[in-house]
Amino acid sequence: MENGREFGQGLFSVVTNHVYWLALLNVYFILSNLVFLFFFITLIPSFSNIILYFLALIPTGPAITALFFTLGKLVDEKEIEPAKDYFKSYKDNFKDTLKVWLPILLVVFILIVDLQYFYAQPSTFNQILAGIFLVALLLIGTFSIYVFSITAQFTFRVRDVYRLSIYYSFKKIKATTGNIGLVIITVFLMNIVSDFILLFIASLVCYFMVMNSKAVMEDMKENFVKEETAQDEKISIAK
């Protein structure tokens, strides 16, 4: 009975700590995206404001990387210091993340503009193209999960980050399918509840993605990390 009580208390402590840490990380994620949140609330949804939305989303990339880093540490070490780990990663990975995030963000906005044109000019051909572009957005979203995961844990050249992300998207189909499922579920919740829900479940969604992609990161470390250095809790790869 004593062992049972200890197990129960231990399990309760683990669960409450995880809930607390995930809640804190959501708060930090929201704070990191206050500019976008301000524009999203105050601006009328219009293509005339698309440049403002683009600029406001620039800090979102480093914020996502910080989530992946902190939650990756949680999965590996079972414990984190939310504020310290999150904001240290945000600062340390800011430049590296922007190098991979800005091209992705640009492509996403181009696809969104094209989708708006297709919907404004309805025809069978345009509807087919719209479907193709929607699939492309979904694939980019899935591809980006690996991009953020890699950037959070490793130091690679930009082109190598993209190459590895594409490579593992096809090599680890099970993990990729799981990430696609998480993206679809998240988009579905945003559609039936509100776009704002993403701000409040971001850390939870990211946590599941980190767990789902754990085998991918381990395989990458085993096969592509040539030289490791224990610096700032981040692996540095010889280029």
Side-chain angles (χ1 to χ4, degrees):
M1 292 295 294
E2 183 178 352
N3 289 338
R5 285 196 299 270
E6 289 178 356
F7 176 77
Q9 291 171 354
L11 179 61
F12 178 76
S13 176
V14 169
V15 172
T16 53
N17 282 339
H18 276 61
V19 171
Y20 174 67
W21 289 331
L22 289 174
L24 280 180
L25 289 175
N26 262 325
V27 173
Y28 302 148
F29 185 74
I30 292 172
L31 290 175
S32 303
N33 288 281
L34 282 179
V35 175
F36 174 74
L37 189 59
F38 172 78
F39 284 134
F40 188 81
I41 294 174
T42 58
L43 293 179
I44 299 174
S46 170
F47 265 14
S48 61
N49 297 321
I50 194 168
I51 299 299
L52 292 177
Y53 284 121
F54 179 91
L55 295 175
L57 278 170
I58 290 176
T60 300
I64 297 174
T65 298
L67 272 185
F68 271 93
F69 173 83
T70 308
L71 292 169
K73 183 178 179 181
L74 176 59
V75 169
D76 290 337
E77 302 179 11
K78 313 303 179 186
E79 189 172 353
I80 56 173
E81 297 179 59
K84 178 182 176 182
D85 293 331
Y86 178 89
F87 288 108
K88 184 176 186 304
S89 175
Y90 187 92
K91 176 184 176 182
D92 292 347
N93 295 318
F94 189 86
K95 290 183 180 179
D96 287 342
T97 300
L98 288 186
K99 291 176 183 177
V100 295
W101 169 236
L102 288 177
I104 292 174
L105 187 60
L106 180 61
V107 171
V108 168
F109 268 75
I110 290 173
L111 290 175
I112 291 174
V113 171
D114 288 338
L115 278 172
Q116 178 66 19
Y117 171 79
F118 295 145
Y119 287 134
Q121 305 290 332
S123 69
T124 302
F125 180 70
N126 283 350
Q127 293 303 309
I128 293 174
L129 287 178
I132 293 173
F133 277 45
L134 283 173
V135 172
L137 282 172
L138 176 62
L139 293 177
I140 289 174
T142 307
F143 160 83
S144 299
I145 294 170
Y146 290 130
V147 170
F148 288 120
S149 298
I150 294 170
T151 306
Q153 296 191 36
F154 307 106
T155 301
F156 282 119
R157 292 171 297 187
V158 173
R159 64 175 179 268
D160 292 331
V161 173
Y162 290 152
R163 288 173 180 171
L164 287 170
S165 298
I166 295 172
Y167 172 73
Y168 279 103
S169 293
F170 291 99
K171 180 182 179 181
K172 298 292 186 179
I173 294 296
K174 184 177 179 181
T176 301
T177 303
N179 288 334
I180 291 175
L182 288 168
V183 171
I184 292 174
I185 291 172
T186 303
V187 173
F188 175 75
L189 289 174
M190 290 171 64
N191 285 331
I192 65 173
V193 181
S194 168
D195 291 340
F196 285 104
I197 194 174
L198 181 60
L199 292 173
F200 300 99
I201 64 171
S203 64
L204 181 62
V205 173
C206 185
Y207 180 71
F208 286 131
M209 289 178 174
V210 168
M211 292 183 64
N212 183 61
S213 304
K214 183 175 175 62
V216 175
M217 297 298 106
E218 291 176 349
D219 186 87
M220 189 179 305
K221 181 177 178 180
E222 180 179 351
N223 292 290
F224 292 97
V225 176
K226 298 179 180 178
E227 183 178 308
E228 297 182 17
T229 57
Q231 180 180 0
D232 297 329
E233 299 180 356
K234 185 179 178 182
I235 298 173
S236 180
I237 290 80
K239 299 178 180 178

